[in-house]
Amino acid sequence: MSITLGQPVPDFTAQATGDTTFILSELKGKQVVIYFYPKASTPGCTTEGGDFRDRKNAFDAANTMILGVSRDGLRAQENFKTKQGFNFELISDKDETVCQLFDVIKLKKLYGKEHLGIERSTFLIDKDGKLAREWRKVKVAGHADEVLEAAQTLHAS
């Protein structure tokens, strides 16, 4: 099953940093940015998280919550969040439930070896729980600005 634009995102529950459990259906009335990144504490993921962190006030003003997701365990996520001063929660998706829901596990090549990993992707869910935008095969540079602009446009409409 894959999520399609304009359709409701199926409800899910996930463990996150800050000793929190996220239940998507409880976030109705808020826009939600869910961004998937390959691995905590790696250069690209650190830059991407920092870009979202530095724009959090603008996302808040657009009634938009930010959530980062990777397959790292909760301890690795907590360390990553603390070390980088992230002002939003990170979901630990070790069993890939959320990754599968958004179809972000892809065959990747690293140093000539193939492996399954997270394809850097971002999703914007509207206040009614429907998928409003998606970005796949994300390049980090400028990405948070593009997502922020989409969130602001959606919030204003």
Side-chain angles (χ1 to χ4, degrees):
M1 175 172 109
S2 67
I3 300 171
T4 47
L5 287 173
Q7 295 302 306
V9 175
D11 198 19
F12 68 84
T13 302
Q15 289 305 115
T17 52
D19 207 19
T20 52
T21 301
F22 276 100
I23 302 170
L24 185 63
S25 59
E26 289 182 355
L27 302 177
K28 279 226 166 63
K30 257 195 165 338
Q31 295 178 169
V32 182
V33 165
I34 300 179
Y35 80 95
F36 291 84
Y37 58 95
K39 190 150 181 54
S41 302
T42 55
C45 301
T46 299
T47 300
E48 184 177 27
D51 288 348
F52 279 111
R53 175 198 61 215
D54 296 346
R55 289 156 185 77
K56 185 174 183 296
N57 289 344
F59 276 104
D60 287 347
N63 190 36
T64 305
M65 177 179 210
I66 303 164
L67 288 173
V69 182
S70 77
R71 298 184 301 181
D72 295 290
L74 219 42
R75 180 177 287 147
Q77 296 287 51
E78 286 286 4
N79 291 342
F80 186 38
K81 179 187 165 196
T82 302
K83 187 172 180 199
Q84 300 306 325
F86 293 158
N87 44 13
F88 52 88
E89 303 305 335
L90 302 176
I91 289 175
S92 169
D93 193 32
K94 281 179 91 82
D95 65 2
E96 299 180 3
T97 307
V98 185
C99 290
Q100 299 289 349
L101 184 64
F102 287 89
D103 190 30
V104 297
I105 301 291
K106 303 291 181 188
L107 194 59
K108 298 167 81 176
K109 266 195 170 142
L110 186 64
Y111 307 117
K113 288 192 169 97
E114 288 189 334
H115 69 285
L116 286 174
I118 292 179
E119 177 181 82
R120 195 180 302 278
S121 308
T122 302
F123 301 87
L124 175 60
I125 301 169
D126 72 14
K127 63 182 177 25
D128 299 318
K130 293 182 178 150
L131 184 62
R133 288 282 305 270
E134 65 179 6
W135 293 264
R136 295 188 181 267
K137 295 184 180 169
V138 166
K139 300 283 178 255
V140 173
H143 178 61
D145 286 326
E146 193 180 329
V147 176
L148 176 59
E149 192 176 312
Q152 290 168 329
T153 302
L154 185 62
H155 178 62
S157 65

